Amino acid sequence: MATALATQLSQIAARSTDPLNLKAQKRSHSKSLLFDQNVAASQDFDTIYQICLEGYQELCQMDKRFIGFSRSIFSEQSKREERTQMTTAQNEELDEVLESFLSLVGSRLLLRPALKAVEWLVRRFRVHEHNILCLTLTFLPYHTLPIFTTLLSIFPENIAPSLKFLHPYVESFACPPRHTIVHAAIHNQSFFSALNGYVLKASRAGHQYSAFISYWATIMTEAVAELIDQSMSGRRETQRKNEEDVLLRILPFLNEGLSMRQVPDLRIGCYMILTVAASKLDLAEKVLLAMMEAVVSDWTPNTTHAGLICLAVLSQRRQTVKIPSKILKAVMSIQNIGNDLSILGEQYRVDTLVIGLVLGTLEGLDKDSDLNRLSFVRMAIEGRLMSNTHIALATKSILALANNSKDLLAGGQDLQGQLADLILRLMDSEVVGDLVQETMRESRTDIENLEAKLQMVLRPNDNQKNWTAEDVEMDDISEEPQVQSFESITHHIPTRTAYEISLLSHSQSYVYGSLAKAFLVASSSPSNLARFSDLPVLRKPLAMSEPLFLSFFIRYWCGPHSAASRASAIISVRNYLIDQDVTADLQILFPYIIYALADPNTKVRHAASELSLSLGTIYRDRDEDMKEGSRPILGLGNIYGSGHETDEVSWLSTTDASRLVRDILTPNLEEFRQDEGHIARLLSDSLSGTHQSKGLHSPTKDLRKSTKAALLISLGSHVVHTPIYRVKLRLLSIMNGIDKAGGASKSKTLLPLLLAQEKYDEKSLADHCEMEGIDKTKFVGEVVKIVTPNDREGVRVIQRIIALDNSTPPVSLRKAAVHRIRNFWSSMKVDVQTSLAATLLSLALNEAAKEPNQDIQGDSLDLLREVPLSINTLNHLLETIPALPSTPGDGPGHSKRRRTSNGHVESHDNMPPEGVQQILQHITIVLELIEASKVGTGPVLTKGLFRLLADMEHSKVQLGIESGYLQSLVLGSLHRIVEQSKASMDVQLDRSTVRADLIVDCFSTSSNPQVQQAALMLLSSLATVVPELIIHSVMPVFTFMGTSILRQSDDYSAYIVDQTIESVIPPLVEALRKQKGGPLAGASELLISFVAAFEHIPVYRRSGLFSSLIDRLGPEESLFALLTLLLDRYADNRDIRQFIQEFTGQYSPLMQLKTMEKYLGVILDSLKPKPTVSNNFLTFNDGRTRASTALNLLSLPPNIFRAQRLISRSARLLSKKNEDAEQFRQIYARLVEDTLLLAEQVQPYKKLPSACDLMLDALLGLLSLGESISSLDALLKRGNINVQRQVLRSLEHRIGNENAGNYAAQEACIKFLPELSLLLESSSDMLLLHSATSCIDRVIERYGKKDIEAVAGIMRVVASDKCLGADDSRLRIMALLCLSTSIEILGEAIIPIIPQALPKAMDHLEAILGRENVDERLHNAVYSFLGSLLLYVPWIITGQYLDRALKTSHVSANAGLPAICNEARKEVLILIAKQIDPQECFSALLRTWDSAMVEGPEAVSAHMEILRLVIERQPKSVIAKQSQPLLNLLLKVFDLRRIQCSPRTDESYEDEEMDEVERIVNDVAIKLIYKLNDATFRPLFTKMLEWATTPTGRKEKQGKVYRQISWYTFLHAFFDTLQSIVTSYASFIVEDVVEVLNTISTKNSDSIILWNRVIAALTSSFEHDQDEFWQAPSHFTAVSHPLLAQLSYGALSMEFSALIACVTALAVAADSPEHHNSLNSAILTNMRSDDPAVRLAAVQCEMSLTGKLGEDWLSLLPEMLPFISELQEDDDERVEREVGKWIVQIEGILGESLDSMLL
């Protein structure tokens, strides 16, 4: 009987994919997409790989994204990959790569290379088994093609549940139909989720393609629709739950799909699904809004069309129409949104969406400045994109916006005008006009209030009939003729007329309407046209004797009918003329043929050309028989009725009529057909000879003048008397291009038409134009063009129309007349212009009208302002101004100046207020016309303007507030006249008319700034032209300017002031000089006025204004005075000094020094007991006031002297050897002398001396360094310490900024060093010594190399007790910095100074480090000094100096100083490592190690950093020579743990600090080992081992533990870093390791630490064994037994994870069955330990070995099974749980269950 173990093994074998099962392997290998099963079974992987690689390489050429797979699934290594040998994690990683490739290759599966590539995935990686779902979804879009059946043929027997719907087709090898896939998506939730997940994953990776997205979208759309339909069964609660379930299924992938902006096809598919869901589900308002926001979020131009469809459907499902702002903004941002919605509206309902957009747009207009959106509102309404209810709602919203909007100006745009235009257009719309007007009536809109809001008249006219434009095609017959037959229509037409003989009569026709209706029907049939022509009522047989027959057709083709019917009317006349014998003169047709030839429609022009050709034939064939008067003119007495209209028609002679037809019309027929404007140009060329265009067929010979005149008169008479306004308009547009023809005037011919139109009222004219469908404005515009500029009679008619004299012409005609005058004003004669201007002025003033007419006033005034008025016309208007009334106190004298003999109207002293206002209006209009005149003004107006200015001044009480504006107009006009006289010698100013007193009165008495500005401008101009007339009147002006115009901030005021200063001041100053004797006295008054206004002058105007003033007064005489006045008056103004500095900087250096000299003289004078000069500028009462004034004035010179511009300009000046340079030096010398004198005088005062010192400092800084130094000697010997400090600081600053190449400065500075040395030795003031040392430092830094001996000499003084040894910390720092600078200069020459300087520096450093508060600056200064020594003389730092530097650095490192101090110290330590001899450095490090250890971890780290740098920097040979000292140092360092822990105290290092120090030490040790070879290092290694294993004493057993901890910590880093190179070194430590493991004390924490370090070191050695070192039995046996014995400590606190890792590493390193068996046996023994912790550790160890070694370790499974079975029922739950995990692990590796093998 078989044992239980044998049974279990047999069951495993039955279920195992044993590689020895050849049949199963062959069957699996034969699955192929390309090859037959037999062929595939015979192929090896190399053959398959080569075939598939070709396809893959072709794919890479098509798409570069495939290249990345060449490193994984298509690499050479892939041929050797076997999924069954991979771990779970590796298989998961492989699945990711395979599925990524499948999603990318999906779009190319119909290509052979793609199938080849997929073949490799099938054959090598068996994706049809392991990745069947992804593979199937990749092929799914091709489910109707043979490749899908091929795929089904390789499916495994057991397929995934999500693909179970394919099982029938797998068996039958048939393609699944589409409805099957849809059905699966509906009922198979796993397939539904898998398909959506595949699409989203491919889209995220960018592997999607349009065909698959479209296929997915259609499948999902149908599936979602069916799911929703299925959810609607059952009770309402059940339906709601089902609907929620559907939403939960679709919303997650829809949300993610809509977030992928870069995949537009996916978004469109999501839109489709959303549309279906929204249309079928009853969704809440919040859900619908969320869907709409998701639709518009991140949509792109590629998805907006589909998105709009989705939005439209979602909107239809909502209960409200209002759209949130986010959605509104997104939709309205689409370009041409109106057109898109119009296109969508043809297929979908968009009304709810559109009304929401319209309402949202209107609501946001007050906030949104984009008024262009109103065009969308109009398009939406007129385009019928909404229902009538929605249109009514939109209309009400528009009206509400217009009524309720508080501000009709949005963002500077005309919302008022836009709304008015929108409302008017909607009201007049043919599509929605009636509905809009009806809505307005139903909503009871207050039209008057709306018109007031919009400032526009709204006149809805329900009965208005809008004729179509003349060029609109009307080919379709109206509905009624289509229903009625021709016979039924003609049946009701009478057979004859009662009295009508012409249908062009001005009387109403009762038969024309019926005839026109019948002709419209007949025009579509030639037979009906013939029958129509034969109607009795038309009396066709009498057509040559009466005009009834032809007049019908004329009236019809000139009417507002369709182009086809109009052309038929013309053809009917042509056919009649061809068929009948013409016995009459047919010139009645000429005007109307010309009308037709100008028709915009080609058909009509073609027909008219044919008619003209027929007429040409008639007149040509019968020309010889036609004698004058031989043929009667048709319609001669009755064409326009029996009245005067017919009688006044002018007819052509037979000859002239023949010439018109033969020479003008017939030669240009083809041009007429092509161009509607050709007839107008031809007539213009023929009649007036203007030749407006090239290529015209002119008459064979020029027409005679009489013929031209006759043609013009005849055509004009027809234009005047024809009742058809359409003919009038078109022929007028042609004739207005002809002024004269053969002596006949167009205006005279057509003037009766203008007179006739004058008699109509506006309504009658509008009715005529409306009836015929023409533009009224265009018609009246052509009518007024009849009048030409030289036609006085016509101009009078125009004038009468404008003035409404004895008539009330149409308003539109009057406006057209005004426009006509505006156009030809410049062409009229001057007298006509003057007369017309007077009339227009009278109309503007409304003087003759009984009732005011604002339209007439406004139009007349606008016309006057727009046309150019001549000088004579303006003068005439100025002379017609009536006199103003005088004020009560004026007396009778004034009226005598106003006499009618001079052309003036008499004064009206007792005029009522209404009369005064009338005169003021008259004056205002005339003055504005003069002001606006573009032709300029002349001196002829001067007299009248001054007279008017005098009148206004005398009548100021009646004028009131109006006087300012009128006065400014008069003054401005006078200024223009004066400027013209300046610019042109031909214009002479009449001096007798100039009144300077009036100008000054205007300026002084007016409070209006404009009047003041204009008066000043006029005075400025007059001062240039006639200075003698104004010089005695201008001083009050400048007095008043300080309180008025100087305070204005506009540019024009600034210009006025500049002009006044430039023109008026020079003569004024000259006069003041003569009166007061001396320029200063003369200018002081003027300067005081301007200075008083300084605060009120705008900042940006001050400089220009005062520059202009000083330039006119003379800067040498007035600049210092201005500075004194400004600083004295505005002492508290902080900006005044900056202004003065900038202001004076614009003058030359010499001028600035002269100014400062005089300025300093004022200060000196002010401190005298009896000041003289300063009295003109300063005000003070006692000595204290004088001192404060002087202090204030002294604050200015330093700013002036320190100005960089002055310094540079002074240097340039002094470089020149000329008089100015010499004068500059002399003034400078005097300034220094005056400054010193002032400094002595102000000693009694407190603040004045320091102010003088500042000025002296600035003054000395003005000159170059060389010249400044030469003047310092006397100043430094004065004994004034403050001055000395200022001079030295100034010199230091100057030296620092001086150019190093300035040899003069170099020499001066070097010569100055002895003086500084003497100052150091003699002075005891610390601040002065500091300044001197700083100055020395700067001199040495810049120029020290020029004189080494001088630098060395002064450095001895700096290093002495006077400086470096001083008690003042600042002076010490400065001395150290100075010494640091000098070391670079002196080099080895610094050596004699080192014994004096270095001990003091170290003493200072040790002293400050011993204090609680460390002086950081002094600390850094010492290290800067040490750094300089190490850089330039490093060999001087040895022995004691080096030890001392290291020890103080240890203290500094542990002092917790700021980062800048640490950085300074580290830089010095780095220099020690780099610059000091390595032997000396190693010795010093060894000597100072104890100091570093005592100071703490930071000091140790710094100490080791030096060692690391030295080791890295030095070559191997040097390190090898120093190996023994280095070993001694390392051993000392390694002994740190023992020293710190034996015993532990409060000062001992923390464990973390100890670990960090050991890490640093080990790193340095590794760096050292890199520099040594094996021969050198091996003896060192043995010494280190000996040091670690040898007790420090008999009672120091614990000390040995500490050393071993450090040693094995090093070994861990040693093996881990150098890896296999040093594995053999483990032979030295085996014995000690065994001893440690055997003697470990689990009760001692230090012993446990040692145990952990040993385990870590062994693990590193095992892991990096590549030479089978540990496989040797001697090594393996020595270590394995004590190592595995550690498992027995399971109950103790041991790191078993580290132990298990160590054992696992040993098993990997000792890779042999014998060693594995040995290890396994030892571990299994522990599984039967009584201690559950030991058993647990053994199980975990086995798990680690199983996971690491896999099947190699499981070859020992038979030995393990009994133990596993026992442990499955272990008493300890932890052990039992871990065993279960171990079993699962084994099954995962074997692929089989152990249940049958376990007992």
Side-chain angles (χ1 to χ4, degrees), residues 1720-1767:
N1720 186 50
S1721 299
I1723 297 171
L1724 293 176
T1725 301
N1726 286 290
M1727 288 185 178
R1728 291 177 176 172
S1729 173
D1730 294 335
D1731 189 348
V1734 176
R1735 297 197 301 273
L1736 178 63
V1739 172
Q1740 291 175 343
C1741 189
E1742 285 285 358
M1743 288 177 64
S1744 176
L1745 290 167
T1746 302
K1748 189 67 175 179
L1749 299 176
E1751 294 183 357
D1752 292 340
W1753 185 255
L1754 291 180
S1755 62
L1756 304 172
L1757 181 61
E1759 298 177 15
M1760 305 176 194
L1761 289 174
F1763 293 91
I1764 296 175
S1765 299
E1766 293 176 4
L1767 293 176

Side-chain angles (χ1 to χ4, degrees), residues 656-866:
D656 292 339
S658 178
R659 291 295 303 274
L660 174 62
V661 175
R662 290 184 295 118
D663 297 343
I664 297 180
L665 297 182
T666 55
N668 294 274
L669 296 179
E670 186 59 34
E671 286 80 358
F672 294 152
R673 294 187 181 100
Q674 300 296 327
D675 185 7
E676 63 187 85
H678 187 77
I679 182 64
R681 296 191 294 272
L682 179 63
L683 287 175
S684 177
D685 285 354
S686 301
L687 299 183
S688 62
T690 57
H691 299 290
Q692 296 181 10
S693 64
K694 298 179 181 181
L696 294 175
H697 293 286
S698 300
T700 55
K701 59 181 179 178
D702 291 339
L703 299 177
R704 291 181 298 177
K705 288 186 178 182
S706 60
T707 302
K708 294 179 181 181
L711 288 175
L712 181 65
I713 294 172
S714 178
L715 284 176
S717 64
H718 284 286
V719 172
V720 171
H721 297 296
T722 182
I724 306 174
Y725 272 68
R726 296 169 70 91
V727 176
K728 290 179 184 287
L729 175 59
R730 189 172 293 174
L731 293 184
L732 272 176
S733 63
I734 295 174
M735 295 190 67
N736 280 333
I738 307 169
D739 289 335
K740 288 184 179 182
S745 171
K746 172 202 69 173
S747 59
K748 184 176 181 181
T749 303
L750 296 176
L751 191 59
L753 176 60
L754 178 60
L755 295 173
Q757 300 303 317
E758 183 186 5
K759 298 176 182 179
Y760 286 109
D761 57 13
E762 182 68 24
K763 185 177 184 306
S764 299
L765 179 61
D767 289 343
H768 279 296
C769 295
E770 180 185 355
M771 186 183 306
E772 299 197 24
I774 62 174
D775 188 349
K776 179 183 66 176
T777 303
K778 184 177 180 182
F779 175 73
V780 295
E782 293 294 339
V783 169
V784 295
K785 286 183 181 179
I786 294 171
V787 179
T788 58
N790 296 325
D791 182 13
R792 291 179 178 270
E793 183 179 357
V795 172
R796 283 196 294 271
V797 175
I798 291 288
Q799 184 174 339
R800 186 172 67 245
I801 292 173
I802 295 175
L804 302 180
D805 290 346
N806 300 322
S807 64
T808 56
V811 176
S812 58
L813 182 63
R814 186 179 60 78
K815 290 185 178 295
V818 172
H819 183 71
R820 180 60 178 163
I821 288 178
R822 184 182 296 111
N823 289 341
F824 66 58
W825 177 275
S826 300
S827 303
M828 291 191 299
K829 295 182 179 179
V830 176
D831 58 335
V832 178
Q833 289 181 354
T834 302
S835 174
L836 189 54
T839 301
L840 292 174
L841 179 60
S842 177
L843 292 174
L845 294 171
N846 204 24
E847 293 177 343
K850 296 180 181 180
E851 296 181 1
N853 190 321
Q854 295 182 354
D855 290 339
I856 296 176
Q857 286 181 283
D859 291 342
S860 301
L861 186 57
D862 290 342
L863 183 57
L864 273 176
R865 289 171 175 169
E866 292 173 6

Side-chain angles (χ1 to χ4, degrees), residues 474-510:
M474 299 175 60
D475 295 332
D476 296 333
I477 303 175
S478 61
E479 293 181 2
E480 187 175 354
Q482 291 177 351
V483 175
Q484 294 179 296
S485 64
F486 177 75
E487 290 77 6
S488 63
I489 295 176
T490 57
H491 178 72
H492 299 286
I493 298 176
T495 57
R496 60 172 297 170
T497 61
Y499 58 87
E500 292 183 70
I501 58 175
S502 174
L503 293 180
L504 293 177
S505 173
H506 286 265
S507 60
Q508 183 177 4
S509 174
Y510 296 97

Side-chain angles (χ1 to χ4, degrees), residues 1198 1202 1249-1261 1272 1275-1276 1280-1294 1319 1325 1327-1328 1331-1332 1335:
R1202 288 171 180 163
S1250 59
C1252 291
D1253 293 341
L1254 290 175
M1255 185 174 68
L1256 180 61
D1257 184 25
L1259 184 60
L1260 294 174
L1272 288 177
L1275 291 175
L1276 291 174
N1280 190 327
I1281 296 177
N1282 292 330
V1283 174
Q1284 290 174 336
R1285 288 202 305 267
Q1286 296 292 343
V1287 170
L1288 290 175
R1289 282 199 295 268
S1290 175
L1291 178 60
E1292 178 190 358
H1293 178 71
R1294 290 291 309 281
L1319 184 62
D1325 184 80
L1327 293 178
L1328 180 59
S1331 299
C1335 187

